[in-house]
Amino acid sequence: MTGGTVALVFAARDESGRDCVLKVLPALGEAEGDYAAERDVLLAGHGRAYVELLRHDDARQAFLLERLGPKMVDNGGSVDEWNDALCELLLVAWDIGLTPPPSLWTAARKCEWFVEFLPRKWREHGEPCARAVIDEAVGFAEARGAAFDADTAVVLHGDAHMWNALSDNHGGYKFIDPDPFVGERAADLAVPMREWSSELLVGGDPLAAAQRRCARLARATGCDPQAVWEWGTIERVSTALIGLGEPHKVGSMRDWFVVAEACLGASPAPD
């Protein structure tokens, strides 16, 4: 099957004749997913909000999954419409009461990783954006890490975008490819905030466009706009730095840095 970036994925059929998907994960590198974490979340989900895991093979790092329909991004909607649908699906995913598997990182640990990763990767790539962008993202990571509260934290998808939400063939969607961790709900809105950065440049005022997107995501989920804004900044900058290591992404990553610089020092609410 086409369209993936990490795993080897096949259309398959089980012994009963049911259409399935066979997904095999290789050994993964820095900032990529983890087999055990994905397995544990899919098992705990039992097909609710997440693709159903039918069988798994730990030795081969392989999943047999239910076959879902087209990606959300292929439904002809707009970015706002996709983000609205993602918020609806996230509300279900957060509220199904998954018990955090021991394999999952907490947001506090993830933010410690960001604090180390951001300046190191910035230097490795020859300082591709203003140092102030990195300093702000590091400061936000420190703030979100300090805000971690185990009593209110939920299991997060961790990579909730419109390519990772597929039709459930009943008018709704299910998530695939979780990169889960445990944290505040606003952290799952970081990816919708970062995606389609080029769209935020249309009209010439990326700050105002980012503020509008943040307000829409926060309103749809009941999350704190400041937390959404901070997580979005962390995710935009860190993913842009990762993307610079992939030649086919370098051009689009420049747009992400432009947005990050336009939003530097701003709040999620317009002045």
Side-chain angles (χ1 to χ4, degrees), residues 61-83:
Q61 294 201 155
F63 299 129
L64 189 66
L65 305 163
E66 71 170 313
R67 180 87 65 88
L68 296 172
K71 300 178 180 68
M72 183 185 289
V73 74
D74 294 329
N75 72 4
S78 66
V79 174
D80 281 344
E81 289 169 338
W82 292 329
N83 279 343

Side-chain angles (χ1 to χ4, degrees), residues 14-36:
D14 70 9
E15 62 272 19
S16 72
R18 174 175 49 180
D19 287 334
C20 307
V21 169
L22 177 63
K23 175 180 178 179
V24 184
L25 282 165
L28 298 176
E30 184 175 50
E32 292 180 327
D34 176 79
Y35 167 80

Side-chain angles (χ1 to χ4, degrees), residues 48-50 88-98 154-155 157 175 188:
R48 298 166 299 169
Y50 290 93
E88 290 180 11
L89 185 55
L90 283 169
L91 288 171
V92 176
W94 295 334
D95 288 342
I96 58 179
L98 298 187
V154 298
V155 175
H157 180 280
F175 279 127
D188 248 347

Side-chain angles (χ1 to χ4, degrees), residues 171-231:
Y173 294 96
K174 287 186 178 182
F175 279 127
I176 62 167
D177 296 350
D179 188 10
F181 62 104
V182 181
E184 60 185 328
R185 296 178 178 211
D188 248 347
L189 301 176
V191 173
M193 275 296 297
R194 88 172 183 211
E195 287 297 320
W196 299 97
S197 284
S198 60
E199 293 286 319
L200 300 175
L201 299 175
V202 175
D205 192 347
L207 171 58
Q211 289 171 325
R212 286 192 295 270
R213 182 181 293 182
C214 181
R216 190 181 186 108
L217 292 168
R219 186 167 56 248
T221 57
C223 290
D224 173 29
Q226 184 64 38
V228 175
W229 186 261
E230 292 181 3
W231 277 111

Side-chain angles (χ1 to χ4, degrees), residues 231-244:
W231 277 111
T233 300
I234 297 164
E235 189 67 32
R236 178 177 293 113
V237 176
S238 62
T239 305
L241 290 169
I242 293 168
L244 290 181

